[in-house]
Amino acid sequence: MKDKAQDLSQPQTFRHYLRLVLTGFAMGAADIVPGVSGGTMAFILGVYTNLIDAIKSFNADAIRMLLSLRFGALMEQVSFRFLLALGLGLLAAVLSLSSFLSATLDDPGGRILLFAFFFGLVLASILTIGVKVRWSMASAAALIAGSAVAFVIVNVVPAEADHSPPFLFVSGMIAITAMILPGISGSFMLLILGQYDYVLTAVSNRDLPPVIIVGLGATVGIIAFSRVLSYLLSHYYNRTVALLVGFMAGSLWKIYPWKQCLESDLDRHGHERCLLEQNIAPDTASEAFAIALLLLIAGFLLVNLLDHLQSKANPIFRLFLR
């Protein structure tokens, strides 16, 4: 899947910058929700390959340019304008939506509606990206492996953990690695590591020390892991994309909207948290189901529309526009 990020790696016009800021905002909004990946949004909105390449550009040459004060060359080397626009949108989403999404996730009805919308987004992403893979036995095996790995990860029981600086740093590294993988949520990895509530509260309260420590860990993790992803995309493109599609497919279990909690306990704040849950059939006669279904369909159609605007070959739109 070759996206149009090539046109945006060095944005020139206001439209380019606006698209990148809005893309970053979508990525940030997704990353706040456990079970949804900002990497999925990057895939949907056509900036994934450029994002990986831009992050990978932080190398020894970039350090030498920085030390020699060659800032102009450095900005071109690291696609600074691309990352700045994307980063501003992501930061704006985290700062503006963290409290709202946290409250929405705490409300059972709001959680169903939110996850219904994201379920539609991810389902459409699997379709729009999957049809562009050259399928073979190897790519099919990668799809199955990715689905299995994601399924296991999203079913791990969250742990209570200490919030010491070293553990926060490592948590940041792990979360950012997951965050740039479509289908595996960085925020859910923080949840598994027992850091999600702590970090989200720190962001909401503008408590900078833990946020900075997690951010440093994330910086180290993303620079290292982007090189691995870039190599895989360059040398094993179809199998790598199939693996990423598998990650998204496996994550659908986690973001299925209708669930029942089977086992719970209290977190360090005294709030109830679910340890074990199961997916259940919705009450199809309720008004809430109708709204959730509409949001699911809206998310599904939105992704297909964005894909069609870029590729002019979206299978859903081509089916109806014949």
Side-chain angles (χ1 to χ4, degrees):
M1 182 197 66
K2 298 296 183 185
D3 54 39
K4 288 196 174 183
Q6 207 73 22
D7 302 328
L8 297 172
S9 59
Q10 296 296 340
Q12 302 293 331
T13 67
F14 175 78
R15 183 178 178 182
H16 289 165
Y17 282 105
L18 179 61
R19 178 180 167 186
L20 287 172
V21 170
L22 293 176
T23 298
F25 192 90
M27 291 173 62
D31 280 327
I32 297 172
V33 180
V36 185
S37 169
T40 302
M41 296 297 106
F43 247 86
I44 292 170
L45 298 170
V47 301
Y48 192 78
T49 302
N50 251 138
L51 176 62
I52 299 303
D53 289 342
I55 296 168
K56 190 188 72 168
S57 66
F58 284 92
N59 53 22
D61 288 339
I63 295 174
R64 282 194 290 269
M65 291 174 188
L66 177 62
L67 294 177
S68 61
L69 305 181
R70 295 164 54 201
F71 297 118
L74 176 65
M75 289 176 65
E76 295 299 316
Q77 163 78 10
V78 301
S79 301
F80 178 79
R81 290 173 294 173
F82 170 84
L83 289 173
L84 179 63
L86 208 63
L88 285 174
L90 198 152
L91 182 63
V94 171
L95 293 178
S96 63
L97 296 180
S98 57
S99 297
F100 168 74
L101 289 179
S102 180
T104 302
L105 291 168
D106 287 338
D107 174 56
R111 185 183 182 91
I112 288 174
L113 298 180
L114 183 65
F115 272 51
F117 180 70
F118 277 112
F119 191 92
L121 292 179
V122 177
L123 191 64
S125 304
I126 294 170
L127 171 67
T128 57
I129 297 169
V131 297
K132 298 169 186 173
V133 175
R134 292 181 182 177
W135 290 102
S136 63
M137 290 295 292
S139 55
L143 173 71
I144 294 170
S147 300
V149 169
F151 182 82
V152 170
I153 289 175
V154 300
N155 282 283
V156 172
V157 176
E160 279 288 338
D162 71 276
H163 305 295
S164 63
F167 198 83
L168 283 172
F169 184 87
V170 172
S171 297
M173 290 184 63
I174 295 173
I176 199 67
T177 298
M179 200 171 286
I180 60 175
L181 288 174
I184 298 183
S185 165
S187 53
F188 185 68
M189 293 305 297
L190 287 177
L191 193 65
I192 291 173
L193 295 167
Q195 305 297 334
Y196 179 74
D197 288 337
Y198 182 77
V199 173
L200 190 61
T201 300
V203 172
S204 298
N205 296 336
R206 309 298 190 262
D207 182 11
L208 293 182
V211 175
I212 290 172
I213 294 170
V214 171
L216 289 174
T219 301
V220 173
I222 198 170
I223 290 174
F225 189 63
S226 64
R227 284 161 170 72
V228 176
L229 262 184
S230 180
Y231 176 84
L232 292 174
L233 286 168
S234 297
H235 293 82
Y236 306 100
Y237 185 82
N238 285 288
R239 278 171 277 184
T240 302
V241 174
L243 180 71
L244 299 179
V245 171
F247 288 154
M248 288 189 281
S251 75
L252 286 175
W253 180 269
K254 177 64 181 177
I255 59 174
Y256 175 79
W258 296 278
K259 298 181 182 293
Q260 180 181 36
C261 186
L262 301 177
E263 182 181 341
S264 63
D265 71 353
L266 299 179
D267 63 17
R268 63 189 183 88
H269 301 292
H271 299 148
E272 186 177 14
R273 64 169 184 165
C274 187
L275 297 177
L276 182 63
E277 60 187 7
Q278 68 176 7
N279 293 340
I280 60 174
D283 178 6
T284 56
S286 68
E287 181 181 347
F289 172 77
I291 297 173
L293 184 60
L294 287 174
L295 285 171
L296 191 156
I297 294 172
F300 183 85
L301 292 177
L302 176 61
V303 170
N304 281 282
L305 174 62
L306 292 172
D307 177 67
H308 190 69
L309 291 175
Q310 291 188 102
S311 67
K312 306 300 181 186
N314 177 266
I316 299 297
F317 276 79
R318 288 184 68 183
L319 182 66
F320 291 102
L321 295 177
R322 285 179 177 175

